[in-house]
Amino acid sequence: SSGINAEWPLRPGDEVDEDHDGVICFSEMLTIMMKMQKKAQERQNLEKVFQIMDRDGNKRISRSELKSALKLYVNKDVSKEELDKIMNEIDFDMDGQISFTEFANCLHFFQSSD
């Protein structure tokens, strides 16, 4: 069979070599490329949302920016206690602001728990 020899380390659970013949064929390569493109598009969409919420452009979402975004886009006026709870769940490094990584991790968590 013609294809790319799957010599790079595959992680358990990777379903790259769908027919398990040890070779990545053209259709398997297309599947990989489509998945990579979808992930890139998802990241671009997340970056756009993050940039909208990051009103001062410092690449961090502050408590006040989060509160404003919830009010503006979700029509939810959160209390200090609710905001504290949200920040405690998202702000993994506990610096009082949300980085893009924290934002993306949070959204992926909620998407995977549907």
Side-chain angles (χ1 to χ4, degrees):
S1 87
S2 68
I4 299 169
N5 191 344
E7 291 184 10
W8 72 80
L10 299 177
R11 295 182 306 240
D14 279 353
E15 301 196 8
V16 174
D17 185 12
E18 295 171 353
D19 57 9
H20 307 288
D21 66 354
V23 174
I24 307 295
C25 68
F26 183 70
S27 65
E28 291 166 336
M29 182 57 79
L30 285 178
T31 300
I32 294 167
M33 292 171 64
M34 287 177 12
K35 286 179 182 179
M36 290 172 69
Q37 182 179 14
K38 183 178 181 204
K39 285 189 182 270
Q41 185 63 45
E42 288 172 1
R43 181 176 173 88
Q44 287 176 344
N45 290 341
L46 284 178
E47 287 172 347
K48 287 177 187 172
V49 171
F50 185 85
Q51 289 170 358
I52 290 168
M53 293 177 71
D54 176 23
R55 298 176 73 182
D56 66 6
N58 71 346
K59 301 194 185 314
R60 315 283 285 172
I61 296 173
S62 67
R63 294 173 62 83
S64 63
E65 288 170 331
L66 178 60
K67 184 174 174 117
S68 295
L70 290 170
K71 175 77 172 157
L72 186 62
Y73 300 111
V74 187
N75 200 26
K76 173 86 170 126
D77 197 9
V78 295
S79 67
K80 181 188 179 314
E81 292 77 22
E82 289 172 313
L83 192 59
D84 288 343
K85 184 176 182 200
I86 293 167
M87 289 298 291
N88 287 338
E89 291 177 10
I90 299 173
D91 183 19
F92 299 116
D93 64 6
M94 306 295 280
D95 69 349
Q97 298 186 24
I98 301 167
S99 67
F100 177 75
T101 301
E102 291 167 331
F103 179 75
N105 287 341
C106 173
L107 291 181
H108 286 299
F109 171 78
F110 287 115
Q111 287 174 349
S112 65
S113 65
D114 286 345

